[in-house]
Amino acid sequence: MIVGTARSGSGMWQGLEADHGASRFRGLALLLMLCALWALVSPSALPATEARPGPGDGFTVELAAWSEAEVDNDLLQATLSLERSGPDSARLAATVAVIMDRALAEAKRYPQVKVKTAGYSTWPVYQRQDGKSERVGWRINQSLVLESTEVEAATELIGRLQALDLQMTALNFTVSEVRREAVRAELTAAAIAAWRQKAEAAVKRLGGKIWRPHEVRIADEQFRPVQPLLRADAVMMSQPAPPPATEAGSSTVRVTVSGTAWGR
């Protein structure tokens, strides 16, 4: 009886030891899983990124710098207008259309000159009679816009168009987009270098030891002298008018860099 009881107790002890071993194994496996998960989400396991302090971590300085150059104007722009007045608007419109067709045909002989029509307008003409304003006729106006880097060809065409009774109402020179792009890259690089130099000097004078650009804007401008408004006198339709005297001059092209620099 006693021996049977002893054997039974020994079996129970062995079962408890087996259960305890299994529990330890499961606990160890759970611990390993937690460690692996922690390694995945740990900040040290994430890709390293550079901390970029905001303005609240130091101070900011706002400043601007620019670079500019005198550039020879190479693009001629001219506007010529045709105007007719009379009592019959339909007849006026037909007359203007005939003359403008001749002008466009003449312009096709100069493919190096860009030509487009612009500003067609019709409006009534009033005259005050017996204390009342009465319509006495109509006025029609249409314009041609010329643009070319071939100045000699453009001025020759202007003379021929003036012979068709078109009047030159504006003539000016500017820098073409091709030439502007050629100098813009150099001016931008110089302006950025000047801005960085000013920013670093400003931050150091304010006690900062490190600095970096915070917000930067880049813009380019063009300044040119005011061109006088030119008008041509009426000339005989059978004679080409002499080309207008021109002087292209130069314009100032400027690139400005402005913004804020962060320092600490």
Side-chain angles (χ1 to χ4, degrees):
M1 188 74 176
I2 298 174
V3 175
T5 304
R7 286 179 179 176
S8 177
S10 175
M12 292 178 60
W13 179 256
Q14 290 176 356
L16 289 173
E17 285 186 337
D19 291 341
H20 182 64
S23 299
R24 291 178 59 189
F25 179 77
R26 287 195 296 269
L28 180 60
L30 180 61
L31 180 61
L32 291 175
M33 290 178 61
L34 290 174
C35 290
L37 181 61
W38 175 254
L40 290 175
V41 301
S42 174
S44 61
L46 297 175
T49 57
E50 180 185 358
R52 297 185 63 84
D57 299 321
F59 59 88
T60 58
V61 181
E62 186 168 355
L63 53 136
W66 61 85
S67 179
E68 63 183 28
E70 286 290 326
V71 182
D72 290 337
N73 295 323
D74 64 330
L75 181 65
L76 179 147
Q77 297 172 327
T79 302
L80 294 97
S81 297
L82 175 67
E83 186 171 290
R84 286 290 184 270
S85 301
D88 190 336
S89 61
R91 181 173 296 181
L92 289 175
T95 301
V96 170
V98 169
I99 298 176
M100 293 301 290
D101 284 343
R102 293 176 182 172
L104 292 172
E106 189 70 37
K108 288 181 179 179
R109 299 175 55 190
Y110 298 83
Q112 62 271 56
V113 182
K114 294 181 180 179
V115 180
K116 65 178 180 180
T117 57
Y120 187 97
S121 57
T122 304
W123 65 94
V125 177
Y126 290 91
Q127 184 175 351
R128 195 167 185 82
Q129 295 179 352
D130 300 329
K132 295 186 299 181
S133 182
E134 297 182 359
R135 191 184 70 198
V136 295
W138 297 87
R139 182 171 293 134
I140 295 180
N141 182 286
Q142 187 173 14
S143 299
L144 282 181
V145 178
L146 280 60
E147 188 174 272
S148 180
T149 55
E150 300 290 338
V151 176
E152 184 175 350
T155 54
E156 182 177 327
L157 175 58
I158 289 172
R160 292 186 174 275
L161 294 178
Q162 287 176 316
L164 296 176
D165 209 22
L166 276 74
Q167 305 297 307
M168 186 166 61
T169 57
L171 174 67
N172 69 281
F173 289 85
T174 186
V175 179
S176 66
E177 190 62 27
V178 173
R179 180 167 291 186
R180 189 206 296 264
E181 282 294 333
V183 300
R184 182 180 291 157
E186 297 180 6
L187 294 178
T188 300
I192 291 175
W195 186 88
R196 291 181 62 88
Q197 185 176 2
K198 290 180 67 174
E200 183 177 5
V203 169
K204 285 184 177 180
R205 289 180 180 178
L206 292 172
K209 298 186 180 299
I210 59 174
W211 80 279
R212 62 171 53 92
H214 177 61
E215 182 180 349
V216 179
R217 298 173 296 276
I218 300 176
D220 66 282
E221 304 168 278
Q222 178 177 329
F223 308 94
R224 61 174 180 263
V226 178
Q227 300 276 352
L229 184 67
L230 300 180
R231 290 190 175 273
D233 295 330
V235 295
M236 296 296 294
M237 301 260 308
S238 59
Q239 297 284 335
T246 59
E247 176 59 45
S250 62
S251 298
T252 300
V253 178
R254 173 186 294 178
V255 173
T256 301
V257 178
S258 59
T260 55
W262 172 90
R264 183 175 63 187

